[in-house]
Amino acid sequence: MDDKLLITPAPHISSVKTVRGIMLDVVISLLPATLAGIIIFGIRSLQLVLASVIAAVAAEAIYQKVAKKPVTVNDMSAVVTGLLLALTLPPDAPIWIPIIGSAFAIIVAKQIFGGLGTNFVNPALAGRAFIVAAWPLHMTQDWLNPMTHDAITGATPLAVFNNTGTTSLGVKDLLLGLRAGSLGETCIIALLAGGIYLIARDVIDWRIPVGYLGTLALGTWIFGSPNGFFQGDWLSGILLGGAVLGSIFMATDYVTSPVTPTGRFYMGVGAGIITLLIRVWGGYPEGVTYAILFMNLVTPLIDKYVVPKYYGYMHDIQARKAAAGGGTK
Amino acid sequence: MITIKKVFGGVDVPGKKELSKDCPIEFAGIPGEVVLFLSQHTGAPSNPIVKPKDKVLRGQMIAEPQGTVSAALHAPTSGVIKAIEPRFHPVQARMADAIILQPDGEHVSDESVKPLASDLEDLTPEAIRTIARQMGLVGLGGAAFPTAVKLAPPENKPIDTYLLNGAECEPYLTADQRLMTEEAEKVIFGFRAFMKASGASRGIVCIEDNKPDSIEAMKRAIQPYSEIELAVLTSRYPRGGEKQLIQAVLGREVPPPPGLPLDVGVIVSNVGTAYAMAESILEGLPLIERIVTVTGEGVAKPSNFKALIGTPLSFLIDKAGGFNGTPRKVIMGGPMMGAALRDTNVPIVKGTSGILVFNVDQVVEEPILPCIRCGKCVDVCPMRIQPLWIAAYSERGLMEQAENARAMDCCECGACAFACPAKRPLVQWIKLAKAEITAMRRA
């Protein structure tokens, strides 16, 4: 009997949190926004979501089989990637778009770099960036009108807003998501509900979305109006486009965001600034994808320089001061 | 009452104290064999002064301290010395020399076991330190640092405050809680001896708020002494860590290693050590027994024992009603910092506060996944270092980077590994880095 005793290092108890549980929480938190997208833009949205999720999971399983690695689709991270990618798509995009996007996200952005934990950019956003570059027309024209589901060919509300500094949409419509846009980005209430769930479950750090949206709001207020400084419509600035979706669900991706609370705040602020630069001065209507991808690349730098002050650090500072003082005398 | 200052990090652990917190301390009895390691304290091993076939009495010194940082060893009961031979040391996890004592069952005390004083007025600080050294006292909170050394701080580092650590933040363990509840007056007597010996003018008794019975008892016991105050801490692991306690109670931070609490004018001792000090002075009894909690879902009757140092774990587990089902893991110490053992034929040492038995249901056997850089370990680390990077460096053999990332600051509390959703053995990697860095520095 005694020889069956297990020897492992301390600690011998562990928190209930697991990687799979965290991923599951993210999926749960995205369900309201997914459901809202399906209601607002029609059953087509559901097809895109399913295609994207299935493609992501299949791509992960196939790659790992071919590469003779353990198949890890059980950790649910591929489901999260597929779901997130789908939510960033125009609701009238062809069904092969999410399939190719998810495959790119999983294989090129994630698995080739070693899989979960070692990718350096957010896979879903890398997948989206790839599709935008390869099939720009589908990604900028396949919009639908909310509720009526008919195709529109004009500029999106965000593009209009970036040019004129105003929008015809009321705050109520913006919060409910009754506007043209990507299928999961429009219903702000659903996105906030998911965000609050994730913060309450201690899955994400509030500093990233708050830093991001706060910076974007402040910048839009200062620079967002063609009539002069400090006249921008900051509320529409954060509610239009994908900033809420991106800041809560994508910029907070653990693997590609800083590990310290302060670092995470900088990540949010940085992404906010880049989004603003692209929207106000860039030629491209939306900046969220590239803002977050850029900050993903800056994350190792932030982690290098933003380091918590270790316990007892003040004694070392005092000692250094004393040594420096002694040297000048 | 003392206001508690903000402390960084820590984790909420399941307390599990209810298994044994209401079980009064019982004497465990005399086992068939007593195994006394020459090294069961920080510092040089003690030097045996008996030889095989010698008859010894309870409380008789059988090994003397070697050098300043060392501790004496005494026979916990009367009997015959069977051998001095290497046995498996449960804490050091290697073979180490031990004195093997065959008890005669008579439990006859040596003539030296008689009251030394009944009043602290009769003892000088020097006399208290001498008693601590003669009686083999070491810190009973786990590190087993020789008490006499702790009580003699260098003259340029005066001590203003002495903290009595009754936090007992490790889950499951209730030895300190029972001791404070049942023997509050003796604990405070020993604490006052510590204060007198160290020159500290202020004493603070620190207890986590999940022990109301201990708080009541200690409150009553400190009533007559205006120089002693009580600090009630919220329960959060690792509040009872020496450095965390100093931070929470006094708002001071100890300098990084090799800094010591005395660098900020503080000494911390465990309540068990204070009780042993009182027993030494009031009864003339050396450190030959201690309170051990035998608990966990894997024992039939969780208990708090007064056990002879050197008693085999198997003897104590039998006294606690034996196993409750099939044991999967036996741990010496608490679940956060204790060591898993391969069998129960090893003795308790002076630093053993508990024996924990887990069945399959309590044992975490989750696969180890890659780090997802969630930063939970950074959020919970009470030393405010970044376990994920240190562990990653250590795993890759990059010990210099691990040192630059402050691996040596790690107090090995295990909060990081507890919080890790990928179930990575962070502490193990950091411990390895610490060992390698220490070796590098020696070279």
Side-chain angles (χ1 to χ4, degrees), chain B residues 41 103 296:
Chain B
H41 50 263

Side-chain angles (χ1 to χ4, degrees), chain A residues 258-269:
Chain A
V259 298
T260 58
T262 315
R264 290 184 203 125
F265 184 70
Y266 292 158
M267 161 110 188
V269 171

Side-chain angles (χ1 to χ4, degrees), chain B residues 294-319:
Chain B
V294 182
T295 183
E297 287 81 352
V299 291
K301 201 168 69 66
S303 313
N304 297 292
F305 290 124
K306 179 177 274 192
L308 304 181
I309 307 292
T311 303
L313 263 58
S314 50
F315 180 86
L316 292 175
I317 292 169
D318 282 347
K319 286 279 167 185

Side-chain angles (χ1 to χ4, degrees), chain A residues 1-16:
Chain A
M1 165 207 65
D2 271 356
D3 58 352
K4 282 196 200 136
L5 290 180
L6 184 71
I7 308 275
T8 56
H12 305 284
I13 53 176
S14 171
S15 70
V16 292

Side-chain angles (χ1 to χ4, degrees), chain A residues 2 8 27 30 51 54 68 88 100 117 126 150 153 189 191 196 213 247 260 285 320-321:
Chain A
D2 271 356
T8 56
V27 172
L30 284 168
I54 292 169
K68 300 196 169 59
T88 68
I100 292 178
D150 36 53
T153 46
I189 291 175
L191 292 169
I196 290 166
L213 298 176
S247 67
T260 58
R320 268 198 295 275
K321 270 191 191 148

